[in-house]
Amino acid sequence: MNKIKPIAFYLPQFHRVKENDEWWGKGFTEWTNVAKGKPNFSDHYQPHVPADLGFYDLDNVENMRDQAELARQHGLHGFCFYYYRFKDGRRILEKPLDQFVTSDIDFPFCYCWANENWTRTWDGLDKEVLLEQDHGGQDDIDFVSELFPVFKDQRYIKVDGKPMLLVYRADLLVNAKELTAKWRQLAKEAGFPDLHLCAVQFYGIDDPSVYGFDAAVEFPPHKFIGPENRPDKPVTISNPSFSGGIVDYRKVLSQAVHKTVPAYDCYRGIVPSWDNTARRQHTGHILINSSPGLYQFWLSYLVEYTRKYFSEEQQFVFINAWNEWAEGAHLEPDLKYGLAYLEATLAAVNEKKINFADYIVNDDLLRFLANNISSEDLDKITKAISISNYSTDEVQSHGILQELHNFRNMRVRDYIRLNYPKMYTFLLPFYKLIRKLR
């Protein structure tokens, strides 16, 4: 049985609530934002239009049943529902979560406390505050106690019996170590062995132990949209009011796979694509050059990474997101890609070998790789190509990776030529072209 546990973040704002009617206009749901998406440049993919599941309404819990079944069929382990709770215990967008909990939908889940202020600008900053947080007092202590009945649900995701709870902004908690110690004490008094607390890696959040948490959760595109990842070729903007940012998905992928292993537990994260201009037409951020194939490549790497560095109980990978439609970050099928992102997820989770020929024939990507990888990376790519085009049994029986490692004094090219002539014939045209481009 496959032990990798992909968890997708889940936004519960696809239904009407009185607060949104008041703040944004009668009938507002997240679909209202999605429908407003407009292109900012040629070939800019906007708007995103749902396919198989349609413009669903989360007032109907049966729509969540359909989502869970689709997710299960494509290798996902569970959903991480955003949990919106504010000062004095006030909740919003709670109906889908509560209905899911009381339903018989057999699909694992956990919560991520979205503990920022709710603002009119969608950015979590303390301006035009609509719903306020009150960190630092009894309110924060009461928060975790309210969750204990849900934690007892057999479907709630746990690590060694400890309910997994994510917090989006651990840096906003006042005296976080004291607070989390109190949370743990209350959890034990309620009959749990402890809590498994995870800090989302918002900007400035790295080592979770600083806040009294057990693990961090990587959360692209956070920390991946810096100037180093801008596209080499400027994009010609057609919207004169656009002042947002554009980042190359291929560079983000490269940054992700080159990250070193930290000294603390950090569950790896991935984003299939990103474009929040449906929410912020003129100031959003856009990842260009994303595709189901590159997403599968990235996720396949994270699967291997997670297998290597985490115990069987903790083999989580977080995907941002299941249904962030207004941020262009959704696994749910749309009219452009259909089920491609879900199928890529299943392929990566099942560790289907990557066929690099699918990527090398793309001249743009080939040039990108040639200009951005070292000779060591080139060696790794040629090895990966060999694995993808030869059967698993053949690779294992010959021990290619181990043998290449042992023959450090011989060039990889020469070793392959002498020992694997068929492989050499296949690789040689790619090798020559890459050398020519470098």
Side-chain angles (χ1 to χ4, degrees):
M1 181 178 178
N2 202 304
K3 301 300 181 183
I4 290 293
K5 303 170 185 177
I7 299 175
F9 287 97
Y10 184 110
L11 178 70
Q13 192 166 218
F14 296 88
H15 68 298
R16 288 182 61 179
V17 296
K18 60 183 179 63
E19 292 89 347
N20 279 336
D21 277 355
E22 175 187 343
W23 298 330
W24 310 105
K26 189 174 181 180
F28 177 92
T29 73
E30 190 70 4
W31 294 124
T32 309
N33 280 330
V34 175
K36 293 188 300 185
K38 297 181 179 64
N40 283 295
F41 49 85
S42 179
D43 296 326
H44 180 196
Y45 173 37
Q46 282 291 357
H48 289 222
V49 180
D52 301 46
L53 298 175
F55 293 93
Y56 51 78
D57 183 351
L58 292 183
D59 274 338
N60 184 352
V61 72
E62 292 306 307
N63 287 322
M64 301 184 79
R65 188 185 305 277
D66 292 341
Q67 291 173 319
E69 182 59 28
L70 189 64
R72 179 189 296 105
Q73 290 172 356
H74 291 89
L76 271 79
H77 174 72
F79 291 141
C80 181
F81 294 123
Y82 286 114
Y83 189 90
Y84 294 94
R85 186 220 191 250
F86 299 88
K87 184 177 179 180
D88 298 325
R90 181 176 177 181
R91 293 178 63 196
I92 189 174
L93 307 180
E94 74 280 5
K95 185 176 179 180
L97 278 62
D98 293 348
Q99 288 189 152
F100 186 96
V101 170
T102 58
S103 77
D104 62 351
I105 299 173
D106 185 17
F107 196 64
F109 69 97
C110 61
Y111 286 159
C112 176
W113 183 19
N115 64 317
E116 295 180 309
N117 291 331
W118 188 301
T119 71
R120 187 170 294 276
T121 51
W122 297 97
D123 59 7
L125 300 179
D126 294 325
K127 53 188 179 182
E128 299 186 72
V129 175
L130 302 173
L131 288 175
E132 181 184 9
Q133 296 287 355
D134 185 26
H135 293 306
Q138 186 64 34
D139 213 33
D140 283 350
I141 297 174
D142 293 340
F143 155 71
V144 78
S145 298
E146 295 169 5
L147 299 180
F148 290 157
V150 179
F151 287 170
K152 293 178 181 178
D153 193 305
Q154 292 299 312
R155 297 167 297 175
Y156 196 90
I157 297 170
K158 302 175 179 69
V159 175
D160 296 323
K162 306 168 189 176
M164 172 185 280
L165 176 62
L166 281 68
V167 175
Y168 185 64
R169 291 288 302 276
D171 58 327
L172 296 181
L173 301 177
V174 178
N175 297 321
K177 281 192 171 181
E178 294 179 16
L179 175 63
T180 52
K182 181 64 175 177
W183 285 355
R184 295 179 190 279
Q185 175 190 339
L186 291 172
K188 292 175 182 177
E189 291 173 1
F192 301 100
D194 201 337
L195 297 174
H196 188 69
L197 298 175
C198 301
V200 173
Q201 286 193 318
F202 191 80
Y203 297 100
I205 297 177
D206 294 305
D207 186 347
S209 65
V210 172
Y211 308 97
F213 283 65
D214 301 297
V217 173
E218 191 179 31
F219 194 73
H222 287 353
K223 301 187 179 184
F224 286 86
I225 56 175
E228 69 278 5
N229 288 336
R230 291 174 184 163
D232 294 330
K233 183 180 180 181
V235 174
T236 303
I237 302 297
S238 56
N239 173 13
S241 301
F242 183 76
S243 60
I246 298 178
V247 176
D248 194 327
Y249 189 92
R250 299 169 300 185
K251 291 189 175 184
V252 170
L253 188 161
S254 178
Q255 178 183 340
V257 301
H258 281 88
K259 287 188 69 173
T260 57
V261 181
Y264 52 83
D265 280 353
C266 180
Y267 299 126
R268 299 301 302 268
I270 185 172
V271 61
S273 57
W274 182 268
D275 179 357
N276 63 353
T277 54
R279 283 184 175 175
R280 308 177 193 178
Q281 178 66 36
H282 307 309
T283 59
H285 281 83
I286 306 164
L287 287 183
I288 63 170
N289 296 319
S290 60
S291 70
L294 289 178
Y295 161 75
Q296 181 183 338
F297 181 98
W298 185 355
L299 184 57
S300 296
Y301 172 80
L302 298 189
V303 166
E304 182 177 335
Y305 176 101
T306 301
R307 285 199 183 284
K308 180 175 181 180
Y309 293 108
F310 285 92
S311 67
E312 183 175 298
E313 187 79 8
Q314 292 180 256
Q315 295 204 345
F316 301 107
V317 177
F318 283 84
I319 302 172
N320 182 24
W322 173 256
N323 63 342
E324 284 280 10
W325 284 88
E327 294 183 338
H330 53 86
L331 293 178
E332 288 182 329
D334 62 8
L335 292 184
K336 181 175 182 179
Y337 291 107
L339 293 166
Y341 278 101
L342 284 170
E343 290 169 347
T345 302
L346 180 62
V349 171
N350 288 340
E351 298 185 89
K352 180 179 179 181
K353 298 302 181 183
I354 297 290
N355 185 354
F356 275 74
D358 293 341
Y359 301 90
I360 298 298
V361 296
N362 182 329
D363 290 340
D364 290 337
L365 180 56
L366 180 60
R367 290 187 178 87
F368 172 79
L369 288 171
N371 291 329
N372 289 277
I373 60 176
S374 65
S375 58
E376 290 80 8
D377 291 328
L378 183 58
D379 287 344
K380 294 176 183 177
I381 288 175
T382 59
K383 296 173 191 176
I385 291 173
S386 71
I387 293 176
S388 69
N389 286 276
Y390 285 78
S391 72
T392 303
D393 292 341
E394 183 175 353
V395 172
Q396 291 178 344
S397 65
H398 287 89
I400 292 175
L401 293 181
Q402 184 61 47
E403 290 183 30
L404 292 181
H405 177 75
N406 292 337
F407 283 79
R408 293 179 179 176
N409 294 328
M410 181 182 292
R411 288 194 310 169
V412 171
R413 177 183 173 185
D414 292 337
Y415 182 78
I416 294 176
R417 177 174 57 82
L418 293 173
N419 292 275
Y420 305 97
K422 290 173 60 179
M423 186 189 307
Y424 177 81
T425 301
F426 171 80
L427 291 175
L428 187 59
F430 305 129
Y431 177 85
K432 288 182 176 179
L433 184 54
I434 290 175
R435 288 294 296 263
K436 182 178 179 181
L437 292 172
R438 284 184 64 81

